[in-house]
Amino acid sequence: MVETLHLHSDDIGIATAAELLGAGGLVAFPTETVYGLGADATNDRAVARIFEAKGRPQFNPLIVHLADPAAVAEFAVLEGSARRLAETFWPGALTLVLPLRPASAVSPLVSAGNQSIAVRVPADPVARRLLQTFGGPVAAPSANPSGRVSPTRAAHVLAGLDGLIEAVIDGGPCSVGVESTIVAIQADGAEPPRVLRPGGIAVETIEAALGRPLHNAAAADASAPLAPGMLESHYAPEAPVRLNATQAEADEVLLGFGVAPGAALNLSESGDLIEAAANLFHDLRRIDVRAQGRRIAVSPIPEYGLGRAINDRLRRAAAPRS
Ligand code: TXA
Ligand code: MG
């Protein structure tokens, strides 16, 4: 066990966090999507400690976070559609999976042995100051134990990782509230970019910027009929979850969206998907505490805009537990 420092997002907090990263420490920090668990991406031991702290069973590849898009060229190929997307959406809630440059300084554990690497330039001002002060690439998954709900507050991070990481920077609640949209770009650019995960930037918005449809690998998988076993259980609260509930049964608490009489909590009473995304993980945690042995029923969420990211996370929360 280590003593986990609770840092403010002031100059002293940022300087302390950057120093800890430089010494191979694990530092959780706010981004506009969710809190990330950061480590120096060039330090094999530090990156390995991320997997240990999260209790991740296998080496899932990690996203590299940078302050400056120009630094991407040191370890990945950013050309064509990828460059266009980076110019339009960075800094922001878009992750690009790009061809990895051989012999880069980034630890091979970050890409988990793949020939591709995921990169993001976050917009959150605290994340940006940390990345600028540290001055190098920071590998960061969401700062939650593997399989659990992602953190959108410093308190959520501590609830899962206190004593396992060197520090968390408290930057308040995350403004977007769901993870970044992940788009993979093929090395030769022959195939259209593929959406690997719907997230904080709507797929429709990305398609509009590109002027052509994306291959929606994520949606294709998620809509596979009657195959809930295909969905990896993830984002799981303690209580079982039932989706598309128009009302709560006797043994349920309702997480509402829009008009939802009797809801214990409502993601957005006005039916605003952006507000619902920002509330999603916080409300899942809060309603889990209130459930007390009951199930969580969730109102239907429309499958467009940020609704795709919300439904993706909810389907995983409701998937059979392994
Ligand atoms: O908003 C976010 O993306 C947050 C913040 C902290 O930036 N990060 C995040 O990381 O959600 P994580 O590790 O929880 O999810 C990253 C996803 C994983 O499902 C991983 O498999 C995928 O990105 N990924 C990473 N590198 C990849 C690669 N080279 N090829 C395909 N998928 C990759
Ligand atoms: Mg995650």
Side-chain angles (χ1 to χ4, degrees), residues 29 31 33-37 54 56 60-63 65 95 97 110-111 114 116-118 120 140-144 150 178-182 196-197 234-235:
F29 62 98
T31 82
T33 58
V34 300
Y35 276 69
L37 179 58
K54 281 181 66 83
R56 255 195 194 177
N60 218 347
L62 304 174
I63 299 171
H65 296 70
T95 292
V97 172
V110 172
S111 50
N114 293 299
S116 61
I117 188 151
R120 181 159 97 84
S142 50
N144 51 288
S150 293
V178 290
E179 296 88 343
S180 59
T181 305
I182 305 181
L196 300 186
R197 176 178 73 184
H234 208 75
Y235 305 99

Side-chain angles (χ1 to χ4, degrees), residues 209-282:
L210 269 185
R212 66 167 169 163
L214 296 166
H215 179 77
N216 201 340
D221 294 345
S223 62
L226 299 174
M230 300 294 290
L231 294 177
E232 200 187 342
S233 169
H234 208 75
Y235 305 99
E238 299 287 338
V241 176
R242 181 172 72 92
L243 303 182
N244 296 314
T246 43
Q247 60 178 54
E249 308 292 337
D251 61 342
E252 292 179 336
V253 276
L254 182 64
L255 179 58
F257 175 81
V259 178
L265 291 174
N266 198 313
L267 291 169
S268 170
E269 284 181 14
S270 64
D272 178 346
L273 288 167
I274 295 173
E275 182 185 15
N279 287 332
L280 179 67
F281 292 138
H282 188 56

Side-chain angles (χ1 to χ4, degrees), residues 98-308:
L98 302 169
L100 176 67
R101 277 194 203 286
S104 85
V106 171
S107 165
L109 270 181
V110 172
S111 50
N114 293 299
Q115 294 309 303
S116 61
I117 188 151
V119 190
R120 181 159 97 84
V121 177
D124 178 88
V126 176
R128 296 189 62 72
R129 275 162 57 214
L130 175 65
L131 293 168
Q132 273 155 5
T133 307
F134 177 62
V138 171
S142 50
N144 51 288
S146 191
R148 313 308 299 198
V149 177
S150 293
T152 55
R153 307 272 196 287
H156 299 168
V157 175
L158 290 170
L161 298 174
D162 196 11
L164 298 173
I165 65 177
E166 273 66 31
V168 56
I169 307 176
D170 191 343
C174 301
S175 58
V176 175
V178 290
E179 296 88 343
S180 59
T181 305
I182 305 181
V183 174
I185 311 281
Q186 250 56 44
D188 54 12
E191 286 182 43
R194 297 162 64 90
V195 180
L196 300 186
R197 176 178 73 184
I201 296 180
V203 169
E204 295 93 326
T205 308
I206 300 172
E207 289 178 331
L210 269 185
R212 66 167 169 163
L214 296 166
H215 179 77
N216 201 340
D221 294 345
S223 62
L226 299 174
M230 300 294 290
L231 294 177
E232 200 187 342
S233 169
H234 208 75
Y235 305 99
E238 299 287 338
V241 176
R242 181 172 72 92
L243 303 182
N244 296 314
T246 43
Q247 60 178 54
E249 308 292 337
D251 61 342
E252 292 179 336
V253 276
L254 182 64
L255 179 58
F257 175 81
V259 178
L265 291 174
N266 198 313
L267 291 169
S268 170
E269 284 181 14
S270 64
D272 178 346
L273 288 167
I274 295 173
E275 182 185 15
N279 287 332
L280 179 67
F281 292 138
H282 188 56
D283 282 357
L284 273 177
R285 285 166 189 268
R286 289 202 292 159
I287 205 158
D288 202 20
V289 172
R290 290 209 208 167
Q292 314 248 2
R294 291 171 292 176
R295 286 192 303 184
I296 299 168
V298 188
S299 293
I301 313 283
E303 184 70 15
Y304 56 77
L306 291 198
R308 294 200 209 190

